[in-house]
Amino acid sequence: MRAIPRRLQPPSGVKLLPPEEILKNRSHDIILDANGAFTGRMYSITSEGLLPARGMSVRLLTDGGMAAQTTTDDTGLFTVTGLPQQADVGGIFASGPAGIVVYGVRMVPASPEFPADREIDVESAVVQVVDSPLAQQLIRGGIGTRDLRFNGPVTVEDNKFPYGEGPIATSIGHDSVQIAADGKVYGQVNLLDERTGRLREVLSMRVYFLHDGVEIGSARVAPNGAFSVPGLQPGIHALVGVGRDGVFAIGVEVLPFKAAAMNAANGFVPVRLMLTTEIAVAPVGAANINSENFGEFFDPAIAALAEPMGPAAAAAAAAPAAPGAAGVGGAGGGSGGGGGLLGPLLIGGAIGGIGGAIIAEGDPATPSK
């Protein structure tokens, strides 16, 4: 069995895995063009549709420091340029009037294997204002101390682990997930080794679903990266992950399960499922965000606003909508989820070209150049 630093032993019941058992079917890659640049867009999922997250301070974190900083414009767009033409693992952290968002990425220079052919490289849904205090409180309570795992020389064994591949992750290209037939929401946390960009086993992380400022579900992440949470209702949520392996926080819309749709001849045919039926996100590693530099990113005063709710209040907040209430349909049909708070903050038209609509496999997530 491979040795790991004594300071970060696996929790009881968690074991190290061989490389072939690590989930690797999602990509967290951002392709840099010839100028070392990429373009992104931040937005809020609200009951009124997708609204641009304007005025967000966006920071790109690498090697324990800030590689770039910029601000989203009135349409939620931002551009980072002048990055080195080399593969690197980092994190994106953004905060502003719309809320917060944080997740890990792997940056790769353009090549025939990795063409820079996306008009928008990153499209991310933020954690709404109503959920941001509790998200920060959870992160502050469980964040790791420095990088105690990927801080040594790369070994032959380290290079046997896989890179992520396949459809782009929820954090950089989608905003919705469908409840499975068994009533659970499934997902995977893809832990990026900050030295190699390869995916590693998860030793210490828990995920939390928040809705209207209340924690409504949580689960421990398995060593291969998998997790599942039962009992979630359709609507707009925040998904937060925290542990010694890193942190993330993204917005996501949970859609109801639909097994089939009626065709014109009154027969049943399979519905067009989303490109992905599970959430995938990479955390920002402890080398970039940890308990020692937490205050540089998160505002403790905001986190202090989160007051834990009792079981009765939490159950009421998570209860299904009353008959006749607005249902969930694409990005505009959420069950509220704080849209009333975000409306005054984000006055403007909904974003075109992206959304939580169910799409067929093979449909592009964004237009090509």
Side-chain angles (χ1 to χ4, degrees):
M1 180 177 290
R2 294 182 303 279
I4 61 173
R6 181 174 297 178
R7 292 171 295 174
L8 185 53
Q9 294 293 335
S12 176
V14 175
K15 64 177 182 178
L16 295 176
L17 299 179
E20 61 270 17
E21 293 187 20
I22 305 297
L23 295 179
K24 61 175 184 178
N25 61 329
R26 300 296 290 276
S27 170
H28 302 268
D29 292 352
I30 294 176
I31 310 303
L32 305 178
D33 67 16
N35 298 314
F38 70 90
T39 298
R41 175 159 48 194
M42 302 285 178
Y43 58 93
S44 298
I45 312 170
T46 79
S47 58
E48 300 174 356
L50 299 182
L51 300 180
R54 57 172 62 98
M56 298 284 288
S57 173
V58 181
R59 285 178 268 186
L60 177 66
L61 312 174
T62 61
D63 302 321
M66 185 170 64
Q69 184 173 17
T70 187
T71 303
T72 61
D73 65 15
D74 285 346
T75 65
L77 287 171
F78 68 92
T79 298
V80 173
T81 189
L83 298 175
Q85 290 288 337
Q86 62 186 34
D88 199 2
V89 172
I92 289 179
F93 177 90
S95 61
I100 62 172
V101 63
V102 54
Y103 53 85
V105 296
R106 184 174 81 117
M107 292 163 287
V108 181
S111 67
E113 182 182 2
F114 300 101
D117 57 1
R118 293 174 59 85
E119 181 178 346
I120 299 177
D121 303 285
V122 175
E123 293 179 314
S124 302
V126 304
V127 173
Q128 297 184 10
V129 172
V130 69
D131 290 320
S132 292
L134 182 54
Q136 293 191 42
Q137 185 183 82
L138 290 169
I139 291 172
R140 183 176 59 179
I143 197 169
T145 303
R146 302 186 309 278
D147 181 8
L148 302 180
R149 186 172 177 192
F150 302 129
N151 58 358
V154 176
T155 67
V156 173
E157 294 299 313
D158 291 329
N159 281 325
K160 291 181 180 179
F161 283 82
Y163 292 111
E165 57 187 13
I168 57 176
T170 312
S171 47
I172 62 174
H174 299 288
D175 57 58
S176 56
V177 63
Q178 190 179 51
I179 296 173
D182 61 3
K184 296 180 180 179
V185 169
Y186 287 87
Q188 58 180 277
V189 173
N190 304 127
L191 179 61
L192 295 163
D193 184 332
E194 292 151 342
R195 305 163 301 174
T196 66
R198 297 174 183 271
L199 302 182
R200 296 298 300 262
E201 59 274 275
V202 177
L203 301 185
S204 171
M205 180 155 290
R206 191 169 189 86
V207 297
Y208 302 85
F209 278 89
L210 315 181
H211 178 76
D212 281 347
V214 180
E215 177 191 330
I216 58 172
S218 69
R220 182 174 171 177
V221 180
N224 69 347
F227 68 86
S228 64
V229 178
L232 298 180
Q233 297 296 324
I236 303 164
H237 297 71
L239 174 61
V240 177
V242 60
R244 289 180 293 173
D245 281 324
V247 299
F248 66 82
I250 62 172
V252 64
E253 183 175 20
V254 175
L255 301 176
F257 171 72
K258 295 178 69 175
M262 186 76 72
N263 65 15
N266 293 325
F268 284 93
V269 296
V271 297
R272 297 196 308 160
L273 297 179
M274 292 188 302
L275 181 63
T276 57
T277 55
E278 65 177 5
I279 297 169
V281 60
V284 176
N288 287 308
I289 298 181
N290 51 63
S291 61
E292 295 184 352
N293 66 4
F294 177 89
E296 299 176 18
F297 301 97
F298 299 96
D299 185 350
I302 294 177
L305 297 176
E307 297 182 3
M309 300 181 69
V328 177
S335 63
L341 283 175
L342 284 171
L345 290 171
L346 297 173
I347 300 172
I351 299 172
I354 57 176
I358 296 176
I359 58 176
E361 187 163 359
D363 287 353
T366 57
S368 298
K369 289 184 178 179

